Amino acid sequence: MKTSKFHPLPIKTFKTLAANHALHCVSIYLPMNKKGKEQNERLAQETLKACIKNVHKTLKEYQLSTTEITTYLKPIEDLISEVELWRNPSEGLAIFLDKKRLNYYTLPIPFITKTQVASSFYLTPLLHLYQDEEMYYLLELSQDYVKLYEASTYGLTNLHIKSLAPDTLEKAVGFDFKQKMLQFRSGQDAFSSGTFHGHGEGKDDDKKEISNFLRIIDKAVNKAIKNNKAPLVIASTNNVFNSYKKINTYPNLFTKNCKGDPEFKNKTKLHEASLKLIKPYFEEIKKQQLTQYQELYHTPKVSYQLNEIIPAAISGKIDTLFVEKNTDEFGLYNIENGKLILDTKKEIQNSSLTNLAAVQTFLNKGNVYVLDAQEMPVKGRPLNAIFRY
């Protein structure tokens, strides 16, 4: 489990939040209202004020005095007048407060307003960040330009492949390559067929050099990539891509390439193009998981029962968990005896069992998909799980 360099909330931060267990952990989510009119009317700040009032009321139920509550919530109150926070807003704001510290994050999710006070933080809304991250690798490849990136929804991170392999064909085959390239027809690249002037021997030599160069790159790619399950997208001309496919040994080479010479492509546009290309791949994975649930419906490999899903999530038994968006089941689960108590609403002593299952599944490296109600495999059930065993 990892996140890209540009991820708005690194996995390490999520784990730290998830590990927090204390009295009166406050979680607040709200949209930041980015539009000019909404900003001018300070709608987000007004929403936060309403959230604070809601939390204040809840903390009263915990028998805290008004003075204690006011002091405790002051760090959140201070955010209302934090000019820099509201000047360049993101889509949503997530706030977490306990007796030790306040943490808050502006994130690219337009959260539905929510507050909760419990013995741990409510983190399910954050799982969208990892569900939608769509991690993959992007290899820019031409005869005189090679770069490998770890890529995701949020950006590109250069893996500096040139420390493992030559980044040009010239460096790979020797300095006489420039002289040989003068014999190529203008407007063609070395990977095109039939571009070399001369006899068959020259063509064969050239093809051999190109193949050797690509094999070196392939070896370096496999060495640089730590997660060989993630798809590898090639940004190149069609000729280069067709040549690379023949020698590739990476187990998950994507079937289509980002077309064109990557050396002359703006990195922002390249990222956008590669993301658009790879998106159907990740959508298909989610569809396959939904289909798998239906296929396993009458077997012990799936469940929609909370008394089965909660202990399975904690023990790491869940491979994939589907969570209904904006829905919670409240209660208590005793790890010692496996006893589950369900409540009809949030009480002082209970917490969200839905949040518990989602967070524990994610921390145990299971897949978590937060879905609209109509997308859930079993409608009317907030949690649907596929078990690993």
Side-chain angles (χ1 to χ4, degrees), residues 136-197:
Y136 60 102
Y137 293 92
L138 179 65
L139 176 65
E140 295 183 293
L141 183 58
S142 71
Q143 65 197 33
D144 52 3
Y145 186 82
V146 179
K147 281 194 177 181
L148 178 66
Y149 300 95
E150 182 181 88
S152 77
T153 304
Y154 305 112
L156 303 174
T157 303
N158 193 341
L159 295 183
H160 301 289
I161 196 174
K162 69 179 182 179
S163 64
L164 301 172
D167 57 354
T168 69
L169 182 52
E170 179 186 338
K171 290 178 184 177
V173 304
F175 292 104
D176 64 334
F177 177 73
K178 257 184 184 174
Q179 293 299 318
K180 290 180 68 179
M181 284 303 294
L182 294 175
Q183 300 174 69
F184 281 77
R185 292 197 184 108
S186 175
Q188 301 271 354
D189 64 41
F191 296 88
S192 302
S193 59
T195 59
F196 193 74
H197 284 283

Side-chain angles (χ1 to χ4, degrees), residues 80-288:
I80 296 170
S81 57
E82 187 72 42
V83 176
E84 288 303 315
L85 174 62
W86 308 104
R87 181 171 289 163
N88 297 299
S90 188
E91 293 291 339
L93 177 64
I95 302 170
F96 305 100
L97 174 72
D98 63 14
K99 293 191 184 300
K100 293 181 180 178
R101 66 183 63 86
L102 169 74
N103 292 300
Y104 63 94
Y105 309 93
T106 56
L107 298 166
I109 300 177
F111 296 119
I112 290 176
T113 304
K114 184 177 182 66
T115 64
Q116 187 164 302
V117 179
S119 58
S120 59
F121 292 130
Y122 186 82
L123 302 177
T124 300
L126 300 180
L127 292 176
H128 281 286
L129 293 167
Y130 310 100
Q131 172 184 323
D132 297 334
E133 186 179 12
E134 301 176 347
M135 288 192 69
Y136 60 102
Y137 293 92
L138 179 65
L139 176 65
E140 295 183 293
L141 183 58
S142 71
Q143 65 197 33
D144 52 3
Y145 186 82
V146 179
K147 281 194 177 181
L148 178 66
Y149 300 95
E150 182 181 88
S152 77
T153 304
Y154 305 112
L156 303 174
T157 303
N158 193 341
L159 295 183
H160 301 289
I161 196 174
K162 69 179 182 179
S163 64
L164 301 172
D167 57 354
T168 69
L169 182 52
E170 179 186 338
K171 290 178 184 177
V173 304
F175 292 104
D176 64 334
F177 177 73
K178 257 184 184 174
Q179 293 299 318
K180 290 180 68 179
M181 284 303 294
L182 294 175
Q183 300 174 69
F184 281 77
R185 292 197 184 108
S186 175
Q188 301 271 354
D189 64 41
F191 296 88
S192 302
S193 59
T195 59
F196 193 74
H197 284 283
H199 301 292
E201 186 179 344
K203 290 182 184 179
D204 291 340
D205 287 346
D206 184 63
K207 287 180 181 178
K208 186 177 179 180
E209 288 171 347
I210 291 168
S211 294
N212 287 340
F213 172 58
L214 294 180
R215 284 192 181 90
I216 293 170
I217 298 303
D218 173 65
K219 186 177 180 180
V221 165
N222 280 277
K223 189 173 181 180
I225 292 178
K226 305 303 181 186
N227 173 17
N228 63 11
K229 291 182 180 179
L232 171 65
V233 176
I234 308 298
S236 68
T237 62
N238 289 337
N239 288 327
V240 174
F241 183 54
N242 290 332
S243 297
Y244 191 79
K245 280 193 295 185
K246 293 174 184 176
I247 59 88
N248 170 70
T249 61
Y250 183 76
N252 195 8
L253 180 67
F254 194 61
T255 55
K256 297 178 181 177
N257 64 310
C258 267
K259 297 175 182 177
D261 191 331
E263 185 178 1
F264 304 106
K265 216 171 221 181
N266 174 279
K267 290 297 171 281
T268 300
K269 290 183 178 178
L270 178 66
H271 176 234
E272 291 172 354
S274 66
L275 200 58
K276 183 179 179 181
L277 188 71
I278 200 71
K279 199 165 187 66
Y281 169 88
F282 290 103
E283 285 295 322
E284 185 58 31
I285 289 177
K286 185 174 80 171
K287 287 179 185 176
Q288 288 172 4

Side-chain angles (χ1 to χ4, degrees), residues 20 24 60 79 92 103 106 116 143 191 252 293 305 325 329 343 387:
N20 191 298
H24 316 139
K60 271 282 189 183
L79 291 180
N103 292 300
T106 56
Q116 187 164 302
Q143 65 197 33
F191 296 88
N252 195 8
Y293 189 99
Q305 303 288 352
K325 190 184 296 182
E329 292 281 351
D343 297 319
F387 298 134

